[in-house]
Amino acid sequence: MERFGFILHPLEIRDITRKFPIAEKLPDYWLEAMFRHSPPIKVSHITGICSPRGVEAEGWFVGCLLTSKQMLQLPEALVLEKIIRAARKAQALGAQIVGLGAFTAVVGDAGITVARNMDIAVTTGNSYTVATAIQGIRYAADNMEISLNDASVAVLGATGSIGSACARILARDVGEMILAARSPGKLEKLASKIREETELGAVVTTDLAKACRRADIVVAVTSATGAIVEPEWLKPGAIICDVARPRNVSRRVAEMRKDVLVFEGGVVEVPGDVEFGIDFGFPARTSYACMAETMILALEGRYESFTLGRDLSVEQVDEIAHLAARNGFRVGGLRSFERAVTKEWIAQVKDQARKARQVTISN
């Protein structure tokens, strides 16, 4: 039996009520103050994972009880200490590798300091997150009848670890690549790298809205703590892959823009009769890709720090995609704001996009 751990944290303070229903009766400021000083907790025991090769794994979700906002606002040393304590809790439970989830994979140097303070392997899961996001984009583009070879693709948060890897891989196949982030210098450096690798001259901008308005496909992967992509930014028929946690895409997009397709990157089917022991809003036996990377490495007995730091290689992404397929993991269709994206849904989006374009032409 292979063993792993994965660190969760509440994206928002209200997420804590999934584990502690009594917290619904307490004010947010009180909960934030209390959990800031709380030790890590065992959230659940994960059982039933079994690859087609017959290898079994079990694991534990361990809670680091800081919200996304707290992880960005509190002193970095304090936050890293809390993450390391949670990782050591996973090790004490029996884990031989631990995955960092959501903002625990973003703070500081993206897992490097955590790994240096551990006796077991550490991974952020970002390699498989990229792989599944790209698989989802290809699936969505095919169903929306958008040719990647002719498409304009915008990556928001392009200079981050996940964003840059997505941009470099997609740049091999798209018509235009738009890189959007806050740092012009980093954007130019990434554009130069893409030009060397693919001969594609990428467009760079710090204006996220401008990037979205130009794009047929938007990959949203910024580290913002709240929604930033608004319905007014998007062209009819656009595809938006929201890889970020918390979401980058405003719920207003789903409510107001029936002519665009929004889906969450990195939703994965896990092999076996899996019980996670906690409801994090997905269908049974599915998880985030970052969680799945940790499981895949455990099933392979690859107790090594696979994805750390802010530089992902294309080779890493290709390798984890291969290992995922070998162990029975696959993208579990598309999901959008807790709902499955059906073929009928996509057909309705295409129809609404066609009507919106006709109105634009007539005006």
Side-chain angles (χ1 to χ4, degrees):
M1 179 74 73
E2 309 296 338
R3 294 178 172 86
F4 67 92
F6 191 84
I7 299 176
L8 302 173
H9 74 89
L11 299 180
E12 300 175 353
I13 197 64
R14 287 291 124 193
D15 290 339
I16 288 174
T17 60
R18 292 181 179 177
K19 179 66 177 178
F20 304 107
I22 193 173
E24 291 181 359
K25 301 178 181 179
L26 301 173
D28 290 0
Y29 74 88
W30 196 91
L31 289 173
E32 287 181 350
M34 180 178 70
F35 286 112
R36 173 178 174 174
H37 302 288
S38 296
I41 63 168
K42 183 182 103 172
V43 175
S44 68
H45 182 205
I46 306 163
T47 60
I49 300 171
C50 184
S51 82
R53 301 182 298 119
V55 181
E56 297 181 348
E58 65 174 340
W60 295 268
F61 282 138
V62 175
C64 175
L65 301 180
L66 293 176
T67 65
S68 305
K69 182 174 70 174
Q70 286 176 308
M71 288 195 176
L72 293 179
Q73 293 180 348
L74 292 173
E76 184 178 291
L78 183 152
V79 176
L80 285 172
E81 180 187 359
K82 295 270 286 186
I83 296 170
I84 291 166
R85 289 179 66 190
R88 288 174 177 164
K89 174 80 171 180
Q91 180 178 353
L93 289 166
Q96 295 166 278
I97 184 171
V98 63
L100 305 181
F103 273 64
T104 67
V106 174
V107 173
D109 50 15
I112 293 173
T113 295
V114 177
R116 286 174 179 163
N117 285 272
M118 294 299 299
D119 298 322
I120 60 173
V122 177
T123 192
T124 62
N126 286 348
S127 295
Y128 195 44
T129 296
V130 171
T132 56
I134 291 171
Q135 289 170 15
I137 289 166
R138 295 186 188 283
Y139 175 88
D142 184 58
N143 281 272
M144 287 288 289
E145 299 181 52
I146 294 176
S147 168
L148 280 179
N149 291 334
D150 301 320
S152 176
V153 178
V155 180
L156 312 184
T159 56
S161 176
I162 294 175
S164 61
C166 284
R168 289 172 60 198
I169 294 172
L170 287 169
R172 298 182 294 195
D173 300 316
V174 304
E176 180 184 50
M177 174 59 65
I178 306 166
L179 307 174
R182 290 177 294 184
S183 171
K186 290 181 179 179
L187 285 169
E188 291 292 351
K189 185 177 179 180
L190 176 59
S192 177
K193 192 168 194 175
I194 287 173
R195 191 177 299 109
E196 291 175 6
E197 294 175 343
T198 68
E199 299 184 355
L200 181 67
V203 177
V204 302
T205 180
T206 58
D207 187 336
L208 301 189
K210 181 179 179 181
C212 288
R213 291 189 178 102
R214 183 166 170 168
D216 302 302
I217 300 171
V218 176
V219 185
V221 63
T222 81
S223 57
T225 58
I228 56 172
V229 178
E230 297 295 346
E232 297 80 10
W233 293 9
L234 305 165
K235 65 163 62 174
I239 294 170
I240 305 93
C241 175
D242 192 351
V243 187
R245 294 296 176 271
R247 290 187 179 94
N248 280 172
V249 178
S250 166
R251 189 172 287 274
R252 291 177 60 236
V253 174
E255 295 169 351
M256 297 174 60
R257 295 297 302 271
K258 305 301 182 183
D259 60 339
V260 302
L261 178 63
V262 181
F263 73 95
E264 300 162 356
V267 181
V268 178
E269 291 183 2
V270 180
D273 190 15
V274 186
E275 293 289 344
F276 289 114
I278 185 174
D279 177 13
F280 45 86
F282 280 11
R285 296 183 292 281
T286 63
S287 77
Y288 289 113
C290 54
M291 298 174 181
E293 178 172 309
T294 314
M295 301 172 199
I296 293 163
L297 293 170
L299 288 168
E300 285 287 322
R302 293 274 296 266
Y303 294 121
E304 60 189 69
S305 294
F306 188 81
T307 309
L308 290 178
R310 305 201 181 279
D311 292 322
L312 287 183
S313 71
V314 172
E315 291 74 21
Q316 275 179 298
V317 176
D318 290 341
E319 181 179 9
I320 199 66
H322 169 73
L323 295 179
R326 164 180 156 90
N327 284 282
F329 291 76
R330 68 185 187 91
V331 173
L334 304 181
R335 291 183 62 78
S336 179
F337 292 95
E338 290 80 47
R339 294 173 56 200
V341 177
T342 63
K343 295 279 189 179
E344 293 75 18
W345 184 339
I346 295 175
Q348 291 172 5
V349 171
K350 288 164 62 178
D351 184 57
Q352 291 297 318
R354 177 182 56 79
K355 291 177 180 177
R357 293 190 192 101
Q358 288 176 344
V359 170
T360 301
I361 293 171
S362 64
N363 291 337

